[in-house]
Amino acid sequence: MKLVLKSLKGEQFEISVESTTTIDEVKEKVLAEKNLAIDKMIFQGKILSSGTLAEASVKDSDIVIVMLKKEAPKKPEAPVATTVTSVPRPTQPTTPQPVAQPAAQPAANQPQAAAAPQGMVVGEALQGAVNNIVEMGFTREDAIRALRAAFNNPERAMQYLLDGFPPEVQQQQHQQQHQQQQQQ
């Protein structure tokens, strides 16, 4: 049977599998054929973590949403020898990447939408991300709430929907709701 896989970024591809194929075997096949590492597979709003495609009621030509892993394992391979001696100190200056994310947070607020940082979607891409999340079985309100909390990053929004919102994000949302109620 043909299985249609669709990423959160809208990329779509097909693989040929049997209904008795396990979820792990599908992930391995996609890695081997497409060189894409799947983190999670979602079908009809449910995470497919174990069992076969038949057990999950996946049929021929059904669409399964996939969350892809970041391709970070390739980077540590090269600096292994240099990291041992002198790279620990430069790694600390390299940590401004998390600092770059908070800098992107104000850009996620509605007034500025000209340039979107990597992983962040705006405009039509944002609407597409909302529609993709709704297709997975979540409500439109939950999709929008998760995207706002994730600063318009669809992958992070899915993590929030699947694993739960971090406490600091929940607290921030409650404060924003409280402020809106006071203004009315």
Side-chain angles (χ1 to χ4, degrees):
M1 75 177 192
K2 287 188 179 183
L3 182 63
V4 180
L5 302 173
K6 184 175 179 182
S7 75
L8 292 176
K9 295 180 181 178
E11 301 164 350
Q12 189 169 317
F13 50 93
E14 293 180 0
I15 60 169
S16 295
V17 293
E18 298 297 322
S19 61
T20 57
T21 306
T22 66
I23 303 304
D24 289 333
E25 290 171 344
V26 171
K27 291 178 181 181
E28 290 170 9
K29 187 168 186 167
V30 170
L31 182 61
E33 291 182 9
K34 305 292 183 184
N35 199 25
L36 297 172
I38 295 177
D39 186 23
K40 295 183 181 179
M41 296 175 59
I42 304 164
F43 180 67
Q44 295 181 343
K46 295 179 183 174
I47 298 175
L48 305 179
S49 55
S50 62
T52 66
L53 295 173
E55 290 170 352
S57 302
V58 178
K59 297 179 181 78
D60 188 32
S61 300
D62 277 347
I63 296 176
V64 176
I65 306 297
V66 295
M67 291 181 63
L68 301 176
K69 292 181 181 178
K70 306 266 184 207
E71 293 187 39
K74 293 181 182 177
K75 293 180 182 177
E77 291 175 8
V80 168
T82 57
T83 306
V84 174
T85 56
S86 65
V87 177
R89 290 182 184 163
T91 342
Q92 293 171 349
T94 346
T95 53
Q97 291 176 349
V99 174
Q101 289 178 346
Q105 293 173 1
N109 293 340
Q110 296 158 355
Q112 301 173 351
Q118 186 177 10
M120 184 177 153
V121 293
V122 294
E124 288 183 26
L126 177 61
Q127 290 304 315
V130 170
N131 292 337
N132 282 343
I133 293 171
V134 170
E135 285 178 12
M136 291 181 223
F138 297 99
T139 66
R140 186 166 205 76
E141 293 78 25
D142 286 345
I144 292 170
R145 186 174 136 236
L147 281 162
R148 282 185 185 153
F151 301 103
N152 291 356
N153 182 328
E155 292 180 15
R156 186 179 294 166
M158 282 305 303
Q159 285 296 133
Y160 289 167
L161 288 168
L162 297 171
D163 299 336
F165 287 83
E168 57 273 3
V169 172
Q170 288 179 338
Q171 183 180 15
Q172 184 181 21
Q173 287 181 343
H174 289 302
Q175 288 174 351
Q176 289 173 351
Q177 289 174 351
H178 183 70
Q179 289 174 353
Q180 288 175 351
Q181 290 173 353
Q182 286 180 345
Q183 290 175 355
Q184 293 175 355

